[in-house]
Amino acid sequence: MEPNKNFAPVCPIPIQQYPHVLMAHGGGGKLMHQLIGKMFLSAFNNPLLEMQHDSTVVEWPSGKKLAFTTDSYVVRPIFFPGGDIGSMAVHGTVNDLAMSGARPLYLSSAFIIEEGLPMDTLWRVVSSMSDAARRCGVQIITGDTKVVDKGKGDGLFINTAGIGVIKHKQKIAPQHVRPGDAVLVSGDLGRHGMAIMAVREGLAFESQIESDSAPVADLVSELLRAGIKIHCLRDLTRGGLASALNEIAEASAVKIEVVEKSVPVREDVHAACEMLGLDPLHVACEGRFAAFIAAQDAERALQIMSGHVVGAGSAIIGRVAKSSTPLVMLKSAIGATRILDMPSGEQLPRIC
Amino acid sequence: MEPNKNFAPVCPIPIQQYPHVLMAHGGGGKLMHQLIGKMFLSAFNNPLLEMQHDSTVVEWPSGKKLAFTTDSYVVRPIFFPGGDIGSMAVHGTVNDLAMSGARPLYLSSAFIIEEGLPMDTLWRVVSSMSDAARRCGVQIITGDTKVVDKGKGDGLFINTAGIGVIKHKQKIAPQHVRPGDAVLVSGDLGRHGMAIMAVREGLAFESQIESDSAPVADLVSELLRAGIKIHCLRDLTRGGLASALNEIAEASAVKIEVVEKSVPVREDVHAACEMLGLDPLHVACEGRFAAFIAAQDAERALQIMSGHVVGAGSAIIGRVAKSSTPLVMLKSAIGATRILDMPSGEQLPRIC
């Protein structure tokens, strides 16, 4: 990774003069232009963003489809073990693009800042976004800055939208899952949600639980390059594995059978979940996905996934079957079978 | 305009049961799926959104450039004379695309809802977005819903990102303004900002000031179709005409000379500005833009703009000149000349 030579190592806004973000930093006048010019342009530096146009114009490869997605990030705390709201805002949107098998190219970045946010906090987040974007090979090419009055926000909310290019010919979507498909997950589940909850609840474990926040687009590209028949990909964020599988079952009108003991969950995550009365299968990840793969390609897909840095701990956890009603069934270690429903209430607020 | 047959005329979420938005409506479980399915999918209805994929895949016309933009909307109050946060979130992003001469095609829509927002308020905003999108000929094809705890937001923030296609060969950007260019505005200035401030400050005038919020993409298309040589377009939002012209002067290293009496500002807007100690040239519009046009096309551009429903009141307000330093000069009615600077503080918080 080339270091970004124009990137200021310390907050480029003089923090003696502006220790906190002011309403005027979102007002369209001099302070906003200073913030954009000195902080955002220097951190995200690329010629497209520097055009500072109301919208940014790019060439598009002929004959290629486009994937488009958006997410707002309202996680608290802003910094947590294994990541922060800035890296999440890049990884999360990159991952949503990857779920269509797209190669992520461009992101937008829109900040809603609460008046009074320490300028240095904003800078740390922006630096983290910049790092994450470079690692993911995406460019942040357009943006927006709003400041809301103290008490009308919560430090910082970030929205990113993303555009990716699709070069494969596969149909990867919830509607394309078929009976017989193998269900894989790309690693152990629930770490992101539990990393956040452990911080908030002050839980102490022998070792700190770190978020799994990571970009998975490169891993998905490897599967596509290897010719693996992918029917659907879904990242396992809010609502965890349970919500994701129920959504897919509904969309394809199938039954999904999961073998509980094959679902990878770390000991410390299990323990934290038990303490808080949570089901790990309801807990969000930020760097994990479920893959629905044609049965004959399942073992090969598992090998590729397991061999990738963000896919260590991948597992085949179940299969898809015919059904008259959409359903997710969980087979326990003692052979009992129960319905795995999606969560109904809200147990883990603001984890993403 | 075809009525949308699948569009529920009343709030599709049972408001006896859910009079307010709950944290669980953003939790990834059943309530969130109900909100997305019954409200967002029915209001924004289109087959692309209904795929409910992590990212939405579209074809892209071969050989055509793409414009990409984003804005978050934090305006308060949410409803104001002449518009609301929902219609603004569509118009504003459509207008940003139009400023590149792009035809807007697709929007994303991401909601950050404060717990406790009346469900019916959300529905009114979503309905308004849906109407605005249909009028603008754009589809909302991907989205996100977050709920933050009471006291950590302000009712509702909306982010939209937009994608448009560029079919012309012109270079429309701040850097392409040239000495000799005519400067036009597409109508009277400052109405949006003053409509909001009048509501907030409880100012009463003989007639209510209504926001100028409107989509201008169609008007821009007409200019392009007529072969008008457009060097730059800029919408006149936060910071008003003063900020926009200073940004352009800076980007092209030119002087912009504006004749004050040719700048269209309505009497009631003038009066409201005077009462609040504001300069109308610092006040935001949401349906106005400045156009930098090759001198020989200026009169023809003015005719086209004036003849369009959102361009009534268009005017040629000045010209671009050579300069050793970027500068915006304002020539007053009595012949005096002063520098028109961008605002330094924040006089009009949260008008967009």
Side-chain angles (χ1 to χ4, degrees):
Chain A
M1 189 69 50
E2 278 291 299
N4 178 341
K5 283 173 194 144
N6 300 317
F7 191 52
V10 294
C11 181
I13 304 289
I15 57 176
Q16 286 83 350
Q17 200 179 354
Y18 299 109
H20 299 99
V21 175
L22 308 173
M23 288 303 287
H25 282 112
K30 285 181 184 172
L31 284 189
M32 191 174 96
H33 285 85
Q34 187 191 57
L35 183 65
I36 292 172
K38 292 202 174 175
M39 189 183 287
F40 300 141
L41 295 189
S42 92
F44 302 150
N45 87 317
N46 64 69
L48 291 167
L49 184 62
E50 275 156 23
M51 290 291 283
Q52 292 195 66
H53 205 355
D54 288 318
S55 53
T56 301
V57 176
V58 297
E59 305 281 347
W60 194 257
S62 264
K64 299 299 178 202
K65 289 185 185 182
L66 173 159
F68 185 33
T69 190
T70 189
D71 261 329
S72 293
Y73 299 85
V74 301
V75 64
R76 60 164 193 187
I78 289 176
F79 303 97
F80 49 82
D84 59 78
I85 192 172
S87 56
M88 261 185 88
V90 172
H91 297 163
T93 295
V94 158
N95 289 350
D96 280 339
L97 293 172
M99 295 302 100
S100 296
R103 190 184 143 217
L105 294 179
Y106 304 115
L107 298 188
S108 65
S109 138
F111 298 92
I112 299 177
I113 308 168
E114 185 189 13
E115 178 187 22
L117 181 76
M119 189 62 79
D120 195 59
T121 300
L122 181 61
W123 173 240
R124 285 167 63 204
V125 170
V126 167
S127 302
S128 171
M129 286 185 82
S130 162
D131 278 350
R134 282 191 299 137
R135 280 171 212 277
C136 294
V138 294
Q139 288 184 304
I140 296 169
I141 64 168
T142 187
D144 180 52
T145 310
K146 294 290 190 307
V147 181
V148 296
D149 10 344
K150 209 167 172 66
K152 301 296 182 183
D154 195 11
L156 182 60
F157 303 143
I158 301 177
N159 177 282
T160 49
I163 297 177
V165 62
I166 295 186
K167 299 189 168 178
H168 61 84
K169 300 283 177 203
Q170 299 207 42
K171 288 186 173 177
I172 302 174
Q175 292 75 11
H176 295 120
V177 166
R178 295 287 171 266
D181 285 357
V183 184
L184 287 79
V185 293
S186 66
D188 67 286
L189 303 184
R191 247 200 281 158
H192 174 71
M194 283 303 103
I196 299 281
M197 293 306 283
V199 173
R200 279 201 223 147
E201 306 286 327
L203 306 182
F205 300 95
E206 278 181 30
S207 62
Q208 192 179 45
I209 300 177
E210 292 213 334
S211 168
D212 47 47
S213 177
V216 301
D218 187 61
L219 169 50
V220 171
S221 291
E222 274 201 31
L223 291 171
L224 288 165
R225 269 199 304 273
I228 299 292
K229 284 200 178 56
I230 305 172
H231 291 165
C232 183
L233 301 169
R234 169 115 331 181
D235 62 351
L236 303 173
T237 56
R238 277 177 295 175
L241 183 71
S243 277
L245 296 188
N246 274 285
E247 288 163 15
I248 306 290
E250 189 79 41
S252 278
V254 294
K255 179 163 76 171
I256 300 173
E257 299 167 335
V258 175
V259 179
E260 190 165 22
K261 73 170 195 294
S262 65
V263 179
V265 178
R266 282 190 355 185
E267 268 311 309
D268 51 0
V269 171
H270 253 308
C273 281
E274 231 160 71
M275 240 179 254
L276 297 171
L278 297 170
D279 182 339
L281 303 190
H282 287 168
V283 177
C285 315
E286 283 293 328
R288 302 285 184 249
F289 61 91
F292 293 77
I293 305 283
Q296 73 273 17
D297 284 352
E299 283 297 336
R300 207 154 56 91
L302 179 63
Q303 271 180 19
I304 293 168
M305 287 165 68
S306 304
H308 194 283
V309 61
V310 301
S314 289
I316 298 175
I317 62 164
R319 59 185 284 276
V320 178
K322 274 191 190 161
S323 176
S324 50
T325 48
L327 205 62
V328 183
M329 301 296 295
L330 194 68
K331 203 172 164 186
S332 77
I334 56 164
T337 295
R338 66 176 173 95
I339 291 178
L340 179 64
D341 209 349
M342 58 172 81
S344 54
E346 170 59 299
Q347 301 164 310
L348 296 166
R350 298 185 56 191
I351 44 157
C352 62
Chain B
M1 189 70 48
E2 278 292 299
N4 178 341
K5 283 175 194 142
N6 300 316
F7 191 51
V10 293
C11 182
I13 303 289
I15 58 176
Q16 286 84 351
Q17 200 179 353
Y18 298 109
H20 300 99
V21 175
L22 308 174
M23 289 303 287
H25 283 112
K30 285 181 184 172
L31 284 189
M32 191 174 95
H33 284 85
Q34 187 192 56
L35 183 66
I36 291 172
K38 293 201 174 175
M39 189 182 289
F40 301 141
L41 294 188
S42 93
F44 302 149
N45 88 316
N46 64 68
L48 291 167
L49 185 62
E50 275 156 24
M51 290 290 284
Q52 291 195 66
H53 204 355
D54 288 317
S55 53
T56 301
V57 176
V58 297
E59 305 281 347
W60 193 257
S62 264
K64 300 300 179 200
K65 290 184 185 183
L66 174 160
F68 184 33
T69 191
T70 190
D71 261 329
S72 294
Y73 299 85
V74 300
V75 64
R76 61 165 190 188
I78 288 176
F79 302 97
F80 50 81
D84 59 76
I85 193 172
S87 55
M88 260 186 87
V90 172
H91 297 163
T93 295
V94 158
N95 289 351
D96 279 339
L97 293 172
M99 295 302 100
S100 296
R103 190 185 141 217
L105 294 179
Y106 304 115
L107 297 188
S108 64
S109 137
F111 298 92
I112 298 177
I113 307 169
E114 186 190 12
E115 178 188 20
L117 181 76
M119 189 62 80
D120 195 60
T121 300
L122 181 61
W123 173 240
R124 285 167 62 203
V125 171
V126 167
S127 302
S128 170
M129 284 185 83
S130 163
D131 278 350
R134 282 190 299 136
R135 279 171 213 278
C136 295
V138 294
Q139 288 184 305
I140 296 169
I141 62 169
T142 187
D144 180 51
T145 310
K146 294 291 189 308
V147 181
V148 296
D149 10 345
K150 209 169 171 65
K152 301 296 183 185
D154 195 13
L156 182 60
F157 303 143
I158 301 177
N159 176 283
T160 50
I163 297 178
V165 62
I166 295 186
K167 299 189 168 177
H168 61 83
K169 298 285 178 202
Q170 298 207 41
K171 288 187 174 176
I172 301 174
Q175 292 75 11
H176 294 121
V177 167
R178 293 288 170 265
D181 285 358
V183 184
L184 286 79
V185 293
S186 67
D188 67 286
L189 302 185
R191 249 200 280 158
H192 175 72
M194 283 304 102
I196 299 281
M197 293 307 283
V199 174
R200 279 202 222 144
E201 307 286 328
L203 306 182
F205 301 96
E206 279 181 31
S207 62
Q208 192 179 45
I209 300 176
E210 291 212 335
S211 168
D212 47 47
S213 177
V216 301
D218 188 60
L219 169 50
V220 171
S221 291
E222 275 202 30
L223 292 171
L224 288 165
R225 270 199 304 275
I228 300 291
K229 283 201 178 55
I230 305 172
H231 291 165
C232 182
L233 301 168
R234 169 114 333 181
D235 62 350
L236 303 174
T237 55
R238 277 177 296 175
L241 182 70
S243 277
L245 296 187
N246 274 285
E247 288 163 14
I248 307 290
E250 189 79 40
S252 278
V254 294
K255 180 165 75 173
I256 300 174
E257 299 166 335
V258 175
V259 178
E260 191 165 22
K261 73 169 194 294
S262 64
V263 179
V265 178
R266 281 190 356 185
E267 268 310 310
D268 52 0
V269 171
H270 253 308
C273 281
E274 232 160 71
M275 240 179 253
L276 298 171
L278 297 170
D279 182 340
L281 304 190
H282 287 168
V283 177
C285 315
E286 283 293 329
R288 302 286 184 248
F289 61 91
F292 292 77
I293 305 284
Q296 72 272 18
D297 284 352
E299 283 298 336
R300 206 154 57 90
L302 179 64
Q303 271 180 18
I304 293 167
M305 287 166 67
S306 304
H308 194 284
V309 61
V310 301
S314 288
I316 298 175
I317 62 163
R319 60 184 284 275
V320 178
K322 274 191 191 162
S323 176
S324 50
T325 48
L327 205 62
V328 182
M329 300 297 295
L330 193 69
K331 203 173 165 185
S332 77
I334 55 163
T337 296
R338 66 176 173 95
I339 291 177
L340 179 63
D341 210 348
M342 59 172 81
S344 53
E346 171 57 300
Q347 301 164 311
L348 296 165
R350 297 185 56 191
I351 44 156
C352 61

